[in-house]
Amino acid sequence: MGRELKEAQDALSKRGYGCFEEWYTAMGFRRQNVYRLIDRYEKLILPNWEERELIESLPVSLTYEIANPSSEDTEPKRLAKSSVLSGDITTLREYRELLAKLEAEQTARKKAESDYEVLRDTIEAVTESEREVKSELEALRARPSPDDGGI
């Protein structure tokens, strides 16, 4: 449907004055739906022409979700979109569940990396403190004791 609307838009735009809008309105379409279908076609189907049959068989709500420009903002979104385009995910619910899982994994990984850095910094600080304490202890041992009669 997006392809047909895009072709009609291109053909009618040559006439000017907004006749495309008149045309789709007369057909009973709403502006938002028309442009969502055109965007879905331009941003999802054209770039993935080899998978067009798969994409056309998916629920429209899922294809709108992965055609959205923000669908590649993060690594979890890119991976979830890739799972749809490979045929592993076929419903919006599965997509959202996978996305939530991938985002949770990314959050956990970032927290683990942050915890690791804090732990590493703490170990480095303790190691440095240990060196300082050993150095002070050696200095104290090297000084003559008042009991030795040196003073």
Side-chain angles (χ1 to χ4, degrees):
M1 178 61 114
R3 181 183 60 167
E4 291 81 4
L5 288 168
K6 178 63 179 156
E7 289 171 356
Q9 181 187 41
D10 291 344
L12 294 173
S13 70
K14 294 175 184 167
R15 297 182 185 175
Y17 76 85
C19 61
F20 175 65
E21 186 172 354
E22 287 177 9
W23 176 77
Y24 71 70
T25 303
M27 301 281 291
F29 289 105
R30 291 188 350 213
R31 178 181 177 86
Q32 180 182 7
N33 291 345
V34 167
Y35 285 97
R36 284 181 81 184
L37 287 165
I38 290 172
D39 279 351
R40 174 180 171 257
Y41 173 71
E42 290 181 326
K43 295 176 183 169
L44 184 63
I45 296 173
L46 281 178
N48 300 289
W49 192 251
E50 299 78 31
E51 292 89 13
R52 71 183 175 280
E53 289 181 21
L54 167 70
I55 294 167
E56 292 288 346
S57 72
L58 295 170
V60 173
S61 58
L62 176 58
T63 60
Y64 283 156
E65 190 81 17
I66 64 172
N68 190 325
S70 68
S71 69
E72 296 200 17
D73 285 352
T74 64
E75 186 62 21
K77 286 181 178 182
R78 281 189 289 278
L79 292 171
K81 180 178 181 176
S82 175
S83 292
V84 171
L85 295 176
S86 69
D88 296 333
I89 299 293
T90 58
T91 68
L92 183 57
R93 180 179 178 177
E94 290 173 338
Y95 172 82
R96 288 185 175 156
E97 287 172 354
L98 176 61
L99 182 57
K101 177 185 168 207
L102 293 170
E103 287 172 340
E105 288 173 358
Q106 182 182 48
T107 300
R109 188 172 37 258
K110 285 182 178 180
K111 183 176 180 341
E113 289 170 359
S114 175
D115 291 349
Y116 168 78
E117 289 177 17
V118 168
L119 186 57
R120 185 192 66 221
D121 292 346
T122 301
I123 290 171
E124 287 175 3
V126 167
T127 302
E128 181 60 31
S129 293
E130 181 184 21
R131 283 188 211 115
E132 290 173 5
V133 167
K134 284 182 179 180
S135 177
E136 288 177 24
L137 181 60
E138 288 175 13
L140 286 173
R141 285 184 179 157
R143 283 196 330 203
S145 160
D147 295 338
D148 291 343
I151 296 184

